[in-house]
Amino acid sequence: MKKYFLICMFLIQFAGVKAQVDMGKIAVCGQYTVTLLFSTDIDFVIFGNNPMLDIIDDMPEYENYAIFQKGKTLILKANKDNIPPTSINIKTMDGVLWYGFIENKDNSTLFYDFTKKVPASSQAASTQSAQTAVSDTGNPVEPLSDSNKNGDFEKKLDHVMKQSLEYRKFGLISGKLTFMVPNIMNDTENMYVKIVIQNQSGNAFEINSVVFKHVEGKTKGVKKNQVQNEERLMPVFEKTVSMIEAYSKHELGYVLPLFSTGEDGRFIIQFVENKGTRNYQIELSAKDMQKIKVFNL
């Protein structure tokens, strides 16, 4: 009988994400390039299935789709045929998260203009903020502001950051870099993660990003781990740095929405080095995740 830990993803209001927009389905083939234009510069782009193969002249090369990103523009082109549909998530610098699906098929649309598309969730938030919530007793209730939410996240995260070492096996050593996850705690909606990075080398370690994802392999009818479901998590709150100086140690803290996976699933924390090709990855099994302590609420 499969065991599941709590379900909660993309239903939480992300810190730094003001609204979400559904881009729908975007067709991309190998014959034409497809251009996506936004009103604000792009912060990052994440594919559900587009593994990076190499970095050539500081430019990443991907297996399924070629990507060119600059400013407000994202250009896509398929590298081959018969690519299964995959998800795409784009965050722009104005805090809007754009999401949709990429389909590998002949396309009649070469240009997608999202500059005038108004986030529906942003409109809903404006409407909700203009109204006063009412409790079961009929008394007005003040809505929970973003500052209050962040204050609650910060309080619990600080508690986790101050805890003594709880987990000794969640980590990796690569050369003179050590990555550890000594403490994790859950509440009813979120997971609070403490990460320690120790740099014992003479060069600074510059972090491009820290990627959190749940991966579950589909083994029916195919070889094990050949096909996988992958869901990436966006932090709702974080305390982090972008540079680990030489011969120094830093503690990073993240609050992530909870997500469910089967007993064969894995929770992966991946550290992406800026202008580097090395892959630093910590994996926690679903069995490990089920043992994580919870806050006493």
Side-chain angles (χ1 to χ4, degrees), residues 108-162:
S108 58
T109 303
L110 302 179
F111 183 76
Y112 292 81
D113 187 354
F114 295 111
T115 58
K116 295 181 174 63
K117 189 163 184 178
V118 179
S121 54
S122 179
Q123 292 178 325
S126 298
T127 303
Q128 184 178 5
S129 64
Q131 300 173 345
T132 302
V134 178
S135 70
D136 294 337
T137 61
N139 297 322
V141 177
E142 290 294 328
L144 184 61
S145 67
D146 288 341
S147 60
N148 288 338
K149 290 179 182 178
N150 289 343
D152 188 47
F153 293 151
E154 186 171 16
K155 180 180 178 180
K156 290 182 178 179
L157 184 59
D158 285 344
H159 174 79
V160 173
M161 300 291 283
K162 293 176 182 178

Side-chain angles (χ1 to χ4, degrees), residues 19 34 153 173 178 184 204 212 218 221 246 276 295:
V34 173
F153 293 151
I173 298 174
T178 302
I184 308 177
F212 302 91
K218 287 184 177 180
F295 286 94

Side-chain angles (χ1 to χ4, degrees), residues 195 210-214 231-233 235 254 256 267-269:
I195 296 173
V210 180
V211 178
F212 302 91
K213 56 187 177 182
H214 286 280
E231 294 290 348
R232 303 202 180 196
L233 304 181
Y254 297 89
L256 304 166
F267 176 59
I268 295 176
I269 304 173

Side-chain angles (χ1 to χ4, degrees), residues 246-286:
Y247 306 110
S248 68
K249 181 175 70 174
H250 279 281
E251 296 180 350
L252 288 65
Y254 297 89
V255 183
L256 304 166
L258 290 175
F259 186 75
S260 67
T261 187
E263 60 184 6
D264 296 325
R266 293 162 290 151
F267 176 59
I268 295 176
I269 304 173
Q270 183 177 7
F271 304 89
V272 181
E273 183 179 12
N274 193 33
K275 296 183 180 179
T277 59
R278 291 174 292 183
N279 180 30
Y280 308 98
Q281 185 168 293
I282 298 174
E283 291 192 13
L284 285 70
S285 68

Side-chain angles (χ1 to χ4, degrees), residues 6 31 48 53 93 107 193:
L6 295 172
Q31 186 174 1
L53 301 176
M93 298 299 291
N107 54 297
V193 183

